[in-house]
Amino acid sequence: MNGVMSMNMASMGILLIFTVISVGVGNAKTGFISLECKAEKLGQYGQQSLLECVINAPDDNTEISVVTWKKASRPLLVFNKGEFPTQEQGYSFAEPSWTNTNMNVSLLITNTAVEHDGLYECMVWTDTGNGKNNTSLKVTAKYSKPTILSNPEAITLDTGGALTCESDHGYPEGKLRWFHELNGELTDDSQMEAKATKSGLFQLSSKLVLGQGSNISKYTCGVFNASGGKEEENTFVVLNTPKPPEKASQTELDPATKIVAPLVVIGSLIAGLLLALLIYRKRTQRDHRMVRTSDGEEGDEKC
């Protein structure tokens, strides 16, 4: 009798456990979530950048309880059960009207800067499971059109000199390369310097020395990004003019003097001749008067 009662109680216990499990399973959401993120995003300096992450859930009624976005272990955006305990300036969900039933948990960066470059981590907790994934942002900034300065300011083929090429506001660190009109490259003959500014953008400068007596008259400076692509270029043209003539010595007469001097001599000679002629005429006239006077006296004596 006791044995039969024990078997009945055991059977009832198993049936009860099975019933509870069946009811629990019937009311619970089944399956697991996955967090899918785009591996890398290219972001333009000064523009918006979107780091894409979407929850793939088996149930349309999945609800999110926690979302955390981090960069280098630093929380940027945290959603926790209807509240945002952490939200740094410049970070938000991609969709302004986001709710905890929206599986798009992408991160929007409103004004991309150099400091935003790097790896990001996204973690989510839902009522059907948890997920974690990484994505990275690669920030780029286009370099400005190069400017070329010459020293001295007027360079000719005969004098030579130095050219300095400058370009800035670019990221990551790029390179300045020199070319001449015959499609040859002169980069190995130049000296380049790259400086990072407070904003993280780079300033590039390159100096190329030109030798005297060169037959090359056009030099081109191009700025290339970190991937090796050319962004902008500028060309400098060397003047093809002869050397300025040397100054004449002090003892050498200038052309005007060479013309005026003979005229002065000739004028002096003419003036001298005229003066001599005038003196000669006066003497002749005086002698003539003296002869006439003498003739008159002799006539008086004869009378």
Side-chain angles (χ1 to χ4, degrees):
M1 184 70 176
N2 291 335
V4 174
M5 291 179 63
S6 297
M7 291 179 63
N8 291 336
M9 292 180 65
S11 300
M12 291 177 63
I14 294 173
L15 181 60
L16 180 61
I17 294 174
F18 180 77
T19 301
V20 171
I21 293 175
S22 298
V23 172
V25 171
N27 293 334
K29 296 180 181 180
T30 60
F32 298 93
I33 70 163
S34 62
L35 181 61
E36 299 176 357
C37 299
K38 190 173 181 179
E40 184 178 74
K41 171 69 177 182
L42 292 178
Q44 185 67 31
Y45 183 89
Q47 303 296 323
Q48 291 184 344
S49 293
L50 182 64
L51 302 181
E52 301 178 48
C53 283
V54 178
I55 299 173
N56 186 6
D59 194 326
D60 293 339
N61 297 323
T62 299
E63 293 185 1
I64 303 171
S65 56
V66 178
V67 179
T68 300
W69 275 98
K70 294 181 179 181
K71 183 177 186 293
S73 301
R74 179 169 64 95
L76 304 174
L77 177 64
V78 177
F79 169 81
N80 188 1
K81 297 179 180 179
E83 297 181 354
F84 289 89
T86 301
Q87 184 174 7
E88 291 199 5
Q89 185 176 1
Y91 298 93
S92 65
F93 284 120
E95 299 185 13
S97 57
W98 185 87
T99 64
N100 67 335
T101 59
N102 189 339
M103 299 297 107
N104 184 1
V105 293
S106 300
L107 180 68
L108 179 66
I109 301 174
T110 57
N111 187 18
T112 304
V114 172
E115 63 184 23
H116 295 136
D117 188 273
L119 185 66
Y120 291 76
E121 179 186 72
C122 180
M123 295 183 293
V124 296
W125 286 262
T126 73
D127 55 359
T128 57
N130 307 330
K132 182 174 72 172
N133 208 338
N134 296 325
T135 183
S136 64
L137 177 64
K138 186 177 181 181
V139 178
T140 61
K142 186 177 180 180
Y143 282 90
S144 62
K145 185 180 179 71
T147 57
I148 301 178
L149 304 175
S150 62
N151 185 23
E153 184 175 354
I155 295 180
T156 67
L157 296 177
D158 294 327
T159 60
L163 300 179
T164 301
C165 179
E166 296 178 345
S167 179
D168 54 13
H169 295 93
Y171 187 85
E173 181 179 341
K175 188 176 183 180
L176 293 174
R177 296 168 61 182
W178 288 95
F179 303 89
H180 59 68
E181 58 188 331
L182 303 178
N183 296 325
E185 185 164 356
L186 302 170
T187 305
D188 291 340
D189 299 329
S190 63
Q191 296 179 342
M192 199 196 87
E193 182 181 11
K195 293 182 179 180
T197 62
K198 292 182 179 180
S199 65
L201 301 178
F202 282 93
Q203 292 179 338
L204 307 180
S205 176
S206 179
K207 183 178 181 180
L208 178 68
V209 178
L210 310 183
Q212 295 181 350
S214 173
N215 61 348
I216 299 175
S217 60
K218 292 183 179 180
Y219 295 86
T220 299
C221 176
V223 57
F224 292 75
N225 56 36
S227 301
K230 182 171 68 175
E231 295 189 347
E232 294 282 357
E233 67 177 24
N234 203 353
T235 299
F236 182 88
V237 179
V238 177
L239 300 176
N240 188 11
T241 56
K243 290 182 179 179
E246 296 181 358
K247 292 183 178 180
S249 60
Q250 294 181 353
T251 58
E252 185 179 354
L253 297 178
D254 58 27
T257 304
K258 290 180 180 180
I259 295 173
V260 173
L263 294 178
V264 172
V265 173
I266 293 173
S268 299
L269 290 174
I270 293 174
L273 289 174
L274 292 174
L275 181 62
L277 180 61
L278 180 63
I279 294 173
Y280 174 76
R281 288 184 64 182
K282 287 183 177 181
R283 285 181 179 179
T284 303
Q285 291 175 357
R286 186 182 61 184
D287 293 341
H288 214 34
R289 286 198 300 269
M290 290 179 66
V291 170
R292 291 179 64 181
T293 303
S294 299
D295 292 341
E297 292 177 353
E298 289 180 0
D300 294 338
E301 291 177 358
K302 288 181 179 181
C303 290

